[in-house]
Amino acid sequence: MNQLLESLIVCPNCKQPFDVKEEAFWRCSKDGFEIPIYEGKPVFTSMPKTAHVYEKIERGPEQGTPWRQANWKFLQEQVQGQDKEALILDVGSGHGDFAQIFTNRKYLAVDIVPYPEVDLACDLGEVVPFKEGTFDLLVLMNVLEHVYHFHKLLDSMFYLLKPGGSLVIAVPFMIKVHQAPFDFYRYTHYTLVDFAKEHGFEVTLLEGYYDPIFFVGESMRNLRFWVLPKLPRFSRWFARGVLMLIESLISLLKLFIGKGYVKSPDLAKNPAAIGYHLVLRKP
Ligand SMILES: [Zn+2]
């Protein structure tokens, strides 16, 4: 088991360290709370029906969609701004899409699914096996839209942060439904700010990622993969030709418009953000 995890983890009921540690389970003798240890990881929650197990996709600063690349840059900046000793918890880390950013950091990864890359499996909206104010930095990268009871999760995030600590969020807005059917929400930035304040946070950063070319490209891919195959043969051939023409025009347009950009939603002329980046601070 991860040493850092072993030093921080507590019984979710009494917040005292587990005192009975066997290979297959841990138990708190004060209240009898017991958790199974699965492949060296504590597993606090039976896998919820709303969990989605997906295959690992290789990610990196230059890999994935433009939104993912913007996420990478944003998160990297936030982590670089942290003290060397800062305790970081990556919540809903999945296969560790951003794990590389946390190299040489005091870092733990948690997900509701016991993926090989996580340190513990736990639904933090339901069970909190850490003491109040444990972490300096909490990370929710493309997670919030997949959490049905997100208010409970935000409460736990506030509880887990040290005063002065930060919660870093990336959440999509104009991005297609993904990991279906476990995709529940799209939030406007007004809602995100309201939720943050409602849960006691201060908003220290809010930016939208805007990318009209990527946005148009998504629509074209939708046409290509979902609409065209259903057309009768001759219409399909004609439509495919038109689509190829449009796609080459879009590539041409990109030469002039350029890549996506990050801007405050209050200053952006294009209101359709691909997604939002937020940094919330616990006062
Ligand atoms: Zn206990």
Side-chain angles (χ1 to χ4, degrees):
M1 182 169 317
N2 182 308
Q3 293 279 304
L4 179 64
L5 177 64
E6 199 161 351
S7 69
L8 294 177
I9 207 165
V10 292
C11 164
N13 292 339
C14 66
K15 303 290 176 186
Q16 297 301 310
F18 288 91
D19 48 1
V20 181
K21 294 182 180 179
E22 300 291 336
E23 199 178 319
F25 69 89
W26 281 11
R27 189 191 298 129
C28 167
S29 62
K30 289 163 215 76
D31 50 30
F33 188 92
E34 194 176 292
I35 44 155
I37 305 293
Y38 170 74
E39 293 182 352
K41 302 173 208 294
V43 178
F44 281 88
T45 23
S46 57
M47 201 152 89
K49 287 186 189 73
T50 51
H52 175 82
V53 181
Y54 66 95
E55 297 295 310
K56 186 175 172 72
I57 304 165
E58 288 303 326
R59 315 254 198 205
E62 310 292 333
Q63 282 169 303
T65 61
W67 163 241
R68 283 282 178 166
Q69 293 182 32
N71 292 168
W72 191 282
K73 191 166 174 287
F74 162 68
L75 180 60
Q76 196 163 41
E77 280 169 11
Q78 294 307 317
V79 173
Q80 277 167 356
Q82 291 288 315
D83 188 87
K84 275 281 163 224
E85 292 301 305
L87 289 179
I88 303 171
L89 181 65
D90 186 358
V91 180
S93 59
H95 284 290
D97 291 350
F98 298 96
Q100 215 185 307
I101 292 175
F102 304 105
T103 311
N104 298 325
R105 288 284 182 172
K106 292 194 169 178
Y107 163 77
L108 292 176
V110 57
D111 202 289
I112 51 174
V113 180
Y115 289 113
E117 294 83 358
V118 304
D119 298 300
L120 73 156
C122 185
D123 182 350
L124 290 176
E126 299 293 335
V127 181
V128 186
F130 298 101
K131 287 186 179 170
E132 186 172 4
T134 296
F135 295 95
D136 297 279
L137 186 72
L138 298 172
V139 173
L140 277 176
M141 297 301 282
N142 297 300
V143 170
L144 218 44
E145 76 273 23
H146 301 290
V147 181
Y148 194 77
H149 298 291
F150 62 91
H151 279 295
K152 291 203 280 186
L153 182 64
L154 288 174
D155 278 337
S156 299
M157 297 294 94
F158 190 84
Y159 174 88
L160 284 171
L161 269 184
K162 286 178 190 166
S166 294
L167 168 60
V168 170
I169 298 175
V171 63
F173 183 59
M174 298 297 274
I175 282 193
K176 63 180 186 281
V177 169
H178 52 284
Q179 298 179 11
F182 306 109
D183 189 352
F184 307 114
Y185 304 102
R186 293 294 179 273
Y187 308 93
T188 64
H189 63 280
Y190 303 111
T191 321
L192 291 167
V193 168
D194 281 352
F195 286 164
K197 290 180 179 164
E198 194 182 322
H199 287 270
F201 293 102
E202 291 167 355
V203 180
T204 54
L205 184 145
L206 166 64
E207 64 185 24
Y209 173 71
Y210 300 87
D211 194 339
I213 295 284
F214 173 54
F215 188 63
V216 175
E218 281 280 279
S219 306
M220 292 302 127
R221 275 187 289 280
N222 192 33
L223 267 177
R224 176 182 292 277
F225 293 113
W226 300 104
V227 180
L228 293 198
K230 293 195 179 78
L231 293 179
R233 194 199 291 175
F234 289 106
S235 313
R236 189 168 73 233
W237 287 351
F238 179 73
R240 188 165 286 155
V242 173
L243 187 63
M244 281 170 70
L245 182 65
I246 297 172
E247 283 174 339
S248 37
L249 288 174
I250 292 169
S251 303
L252 190 64
L253 200 58
K254 193 175 178 175
L255 291 177
F256 297 97
I257 294 181
K259 283 183 166 181
Y261 58 92
V262 157
K263 210 165 195 173
S264 157
D266 299 324
L267 300 173
K269 291 221 170 60
N270 178 353
I274 301 297
Y276 295 105
H277 291 154
L278 290 98
V279 181
L280 309 182
R281 183 179 172 274
K282 179 173 177 174

